[in-house]
């Protein structure tokens, strides 16, 4: 009668030491974002970005607002992968060419930050992490909270120009559209209300708001405020290349605070979505709470920015680390 022999394998500890590098290599391709990702590869990376943001702020104050807007436009479209920074060349159609990118500026100063990093540790720090960390430091320069941001993003090799209008709400879009877009990337209604608090800083070009003034004034606008806006935007067809604009917040225009919510409660929102934020039953309670409590606004803004900054990043072996943020590596 046949017998079955059992084979026993005895694996020595040395076998596992031989296997360990292969396991680490496997998992490196599946890595996730983490705090202090550059602790070993470029220990001064985050401090260099901070120094550059501060220096640029004191030379060109509006750069701080640009860093925040860059985060919105990059991370909301598909992935936090610096696809926004790619310029139009053969085979690449830049997202900056989209109408949704109207008014965006200061991209050239991303190259300033990148150059400082490349001088310290070449091809280590991704442009996607520059977008995220410069936004964090820009928020601080604007009087906002310091937000813990994970790093380890990689850079996209492609642009998503055709996707921009799907993920970046238009200035004429409703709050329902805005909620749907941000909910689709994992940000709840409370977080969306907090993110719109970024409208506390910066400005809006007249081309994006004259439809609320001409031929008749939008009845949801505070009449006195409407007269101020007409003074800033005296014609119904402003030149899009002209520097004609209105501030989102006249009292503290370069401070990220809760005055934005106080303004929209008083019918002083610049855009349709601003005013609807204060009147839609899904968002009104959060608007009222943020208007009453700046700390609560900062807390929710921090939470929402962290979520946005972690939207579908490329990590591990995905993508690349660009040498020049404007172009894919050759």
């Amino acid at each position: 009668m046949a017998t079955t022999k059992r084979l026993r394998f005895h694996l020595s500890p040395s076998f596992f030491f031989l296997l360990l590098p292969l396991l680490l290599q496997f998992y490196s391709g599946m890595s996730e974002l983490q705090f202090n990702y550059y602790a070993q590869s470029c220990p001064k990376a985050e401090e260099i970005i901070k120094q550059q943001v501060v220096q640029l702020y004191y030379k060109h104050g509006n750069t701080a607002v640009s860093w925040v807007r860059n985060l919105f436009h990059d991370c909301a479209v598909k992935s936090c992968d610096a696809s926004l920074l790619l310029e139009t060349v053969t085979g690449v159609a830049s997202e900056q060419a989209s109408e949704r990118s109207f008014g965006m500026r200061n991209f050239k100063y991303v190259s300033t930050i990148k150059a400082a990093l490349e001088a310290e540790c070449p091809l280590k720090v991704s442009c996607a992490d520059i977008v995220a960390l410069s936004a964090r430091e820009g928020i601080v320069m604007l009087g906002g909270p310091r937000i813990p941001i994970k790093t380890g993003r990689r850079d996209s090799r492609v642009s998503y120009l055709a996707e921009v209008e799907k993920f970046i709400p238009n200035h004429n879009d409703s709050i329902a559209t805005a909620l749907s877009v941000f909910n689709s990337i994992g940000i709840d209604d409370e977080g969306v209300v907090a993110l719109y608090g970024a409208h506390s800083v910066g400005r809006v070009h007249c081309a994006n708001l004259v439809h609320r003034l001409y031929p008749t004034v939008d009845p949801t606008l505070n009449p006195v405020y409407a007269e101020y806006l007409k003074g800033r935007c005296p014609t119904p067809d402003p030149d899009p290349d002209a520097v004609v604009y209105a501030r989102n917040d006249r009292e503290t225009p370069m401070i990220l605070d809760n005055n934005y919510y106080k303004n929209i409660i008083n019918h002083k929102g610049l855009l349709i979505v601003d005013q609807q934020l204060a009147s839609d039953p899904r968002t009104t309670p959060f608007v009222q709470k943020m208007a009453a409590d700046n700390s609560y606004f900062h807390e929710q803004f921090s939470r929402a920015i962290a979520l946005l900054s972690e939207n579908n990043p490329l990590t591990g072996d995905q993508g690349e680390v660009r040498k020049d943020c404007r172009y894919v590596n050759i």
Side-chain angles (χ1 to χ4, degrees):
M1 185 175 181
T3 59
T4 302
K5 292 183 178 180
R6 292 183 179 179
L7 299 177
R8 295 183 179 180
F9 294 92
H10 297 280
L11 301 179
S12 67
S14 61
F15 174 81
F16 289 102
F17 283 109
L18 291 172
L19 188 61
L20 184 59
L22 295 176
L23 291 173
L24 290 175
Q25 183 178 6
F26 172 75
Y27 283 109
S28 69
M30 302 172 61
S31 63
E32 298 180 351
L33 300 182
Q34 57 188 271
F35 293 114
N36 300 315
Y37 176 83
Y38 297 106
Q40 299 299 320
S41 61
C42 189
K44 296 181 181 178
E46 296 195 23
E47 183 61 27
I48 289 171
I49 293 173
K50 177 181 177 180
Q51 290 172 353
Q52 291 296 317
V53 167
V54 171
Q55 290 174 17
L56 286 165
Y57 174 81
Y58 287 114
K59 291 180 180 177
H60 316 281
N62 60 19
T63 53
V65 179
S66 296
W67 306 142
V68 180
R69 192 176 180 192
N70 285 354
L71 183 76
F72 278 80
H73 281 251
D74 187 50
C75 291
V77 180
K78 300 286 281 186
S79 168
C80 290
D81 58 8
S83 59
L84 170 69
L85 302 180
L86 290 172
E87 295 188 356
T88 297
V89 293
T90 303
V92 175
S94 177
E95 293 171 25
Q96 298 171 31
S98 170
E99 288 187 3
R100 297 291 199 273
S101 300
F102 176 71
M104 297 188 75
R105 56 197 189 280
N106 294 322
F107 290 114
K108 62 184 177 183
Y109 296 123
V110 176
S111 297
T112 302
I113 299 174
K114 180 63 169 172
L117 289 165
E118 288 296 299
E120 176 70 20
C121 35
L123 286 175
K124 295 296 183 183
V125 182
S126 69
C127 301
D129 278 340
I130 293 175
V131 170
L133 293 173
S134 62
R136 178 183 71 183
E137 303 304 335
I139 288 166
V140 172
M141 298 308 294
L142 293 167
R146 184 170 183 82
I147 304 170
I149 295 290
K150 294 179 180 179
T151 45
R153 297 165 190 78
R154 304 267 290 181
D155 299 327
S156 171
R157 295 190 181 99
V158 296
S159 174
Y160 304 109
L161 175 61
E163 303 285 339
V164 173
E165 293 192 9
K166 176 181 176 182
F167 291 102
I168 301 295
N170 187 20
H171 62 277
N172 280 324
D173 282 341
S174 66
I175 185 59
T177 298
L179 290 174
S180 176
V181 168
F182 285 109
N183 289 168
S184 72
I185 59 173
I187 299 175
D188 58 21
D189 291 355
E190 187 176 25
V192 175
V193 174
L195 288 178
Y196 270 97
H199 284 187
S200 174
V201 295
R203 60 195 188 181
V204 172
H205 195 284
C206 289
N208 286 340
L209 60 88
V210 288
H211 60 284
R212 300 190 69 198
L213 302 173
Y214 306 100
T216 58
V217 173
D218 183 335
T220 65
L221 266 176
N222 179 300
V224 175
Y225 189 61
E227 287 305 309
Y228 156 74
L229 293 179
K230 281 188 171 183
R232 298 295 304 175
C233 308
T235 65
D237 54 350
D239 180 355
D241 295 324
V243 184
V244 285
Y245 61 86
R247 292 283 183 186
N248 289 313
D249 176 3
R250 295 170 65 189
E251 288 77 22
T252 54
M254 291 296 286
I255 301 295
L256 186 67
D257 59 19
N258 64 341
N259 271 348
Y260 165 74
Y261 302 102
K262 297 174 184 178
N263 287 337
I264 61 177
I265 287 173
N266 290 318
H267 299 277
K268 295 180 180 180
L270 288 183
L271 304 179
I272 290 174
V273 70
D274 294 325
Q275 203 53 58
Q276 290 185 355
L277 199 71
S279 59
D280 190 286
R282 291 167 293 183
T283 54
T284 298
F286 302 126
V287 169
Q288 293 173 340
K289 190 173 179 180
M290 290 182 195
D293 188 344
N294 193 59
S295 295
Y296 166 68
F297 159 53
H298 279 179
E299 174 187 317
Q300 293 304 315
F301 185 76
S302 296
R303 181 180 68 87
I305 286 289
L307 286 172
L308 180 62
S309 75
E310 296 174 21
N311 180 39
N312 193 32
L314 302 179
T315 58
D317 294 333
Q318 299 172 312
E320 64 183 13
V321 174
R322 291 184 212 141
K323 182 176 179 62
D324 184 326
C325 292
R326 299 172 297 172
Y327 312 109
V328 298
N329 294 339
I330 297 175

